[in-house]
Amino acid sequence: MKYSLSIIIICATLSPNAIAEVGKFEHEIEERKTSFTQIEDLNEQIKIDLKSDDIPWPVLQANTDTLLAASSSLSNLFPQGSHENSRAKQKIWNTPAKFKNELALMDSHFRALNNAVLQKDTHAAKLALKKANSTCSNCHRKYRSWW
C-alpha cells in the first residue's frame, strides 16, 4: 500500500511533459525487442535447417530474408534517451558510433548468410551464421544489462 501511494504522489507531481517522456520511446523499445526475439528464433531454426540431411533451401531463403530485415531495422530503433525501461545500457548512447558499427557488422554477417543460402552453399552459410552469432554475443556483453 505504501508503494502505491508513493507512485500516486510522484505521478501527481510530474508535469504533463514529464509524463509524456516516460512513454516516449515505448514503440521503439517494443520494436527492437521484437526484432531481437525474431533474430534469436530464426537463428535457431536456421542452425537446425543447416544441419539437416535434406536442407530446405526455400524455407532457409525465406527465413534469411526475414532475419536480414529484422537485423536491418535495428539501426533506427535506438534513439537517444530510449534506454529508460529497457535492458539497453547507457553505453549505447555514450559511444553511438561503436554501437552502430557492431550492428553493421552483425548485419553484414546476415547478408553473407543470405548470399550463401541463395548459392546453396552450406559451408559458407554455417560460417556466416557462426560469425553473426559471435557478433551478437560480443555486443550483448557490451551493451545489454542482464537485470
Side-chain angles (χ1 to χ4, degrees):
M1 186 70 169
K2 278 201 267 184
Y3 296 114
S4 297
L5 183 57
S6 297
I7 291 170
I8 291 169
I9 291 168
I10 290 169
C11 288
T13 62
L14 291 174
S15 70
N17 288 341
I19 292 170
E21 281 295 311
V22 171
K24 184 175 180 180
F25 298 110
E26 216 170 286
H27 174 73
E28 288 84 352
I29 293 168
E30 285 307 310
E31 285 293 314
R32 68 184 183 226
K33 284 180 185 178
T34 299
S35 291
F36 281 125
T37 299
Q38 193 173 31
I39 289 168
E40 185 178 8
D41 293 346
L42 288 168
N43 264 322
E44 288 304 312
Q45 187 58 53
I46 290 167
K47 191 184 301 183
I48 290 167
D49 288 343
L50 286 171
K51 290 179 182 177
S52 174
D53 290 335
D54 188 21
I55 296 176
W57 293 109
V59 172
L60 269 174
Q61 184 60 57
N63 284 342
T64 59
D65 286 345
T66 304
L67 181 69
L68 192 52
S71 174
S72 297
S73 75
L74 290 171
S75 65
N76 298 317
L77 295 176
F78 287 88
Q80 184 70 31
S82 66
H83 66 284
E84 295 295 327
N85 300 318
S86 79
R87 293 195 298 185
K89 290 182 180 178
Q90 179 62 42
K91 185 177 183 178
I92 290 172
W93 295 274
N94 294 343
T95 56
K98 288 182 181 181
F99 178 69
K100 290 217 181 235
N101 286 340
E102 294 278 345
L103 285 179
L105 181 59
M106 177 186 69
D107 210 43
S108 72
H109 292 312
F110 286 141
R111 266 195 299 289
L113 170 63
N114 190 271
N115 289 335
V117 168
L118 281 171
Q119 297 170 17
K120 298 182 180 179
D121 184 339
T122 306
H123 176 71
K126 287 179 180 179
L127 182 61
L129 186 62
K130 182 178 179 178
K131 287 180 178 181
N133 286 328
S134 176
T135 303
C136 291
S137 297
N138 290 337
C139 196
H140 276 200
R141 278 193 293 276
K142 293 176 194 172
Y143 298 108
R144 185 176 185 205
S145 294
W146 295 100
W147 48 85

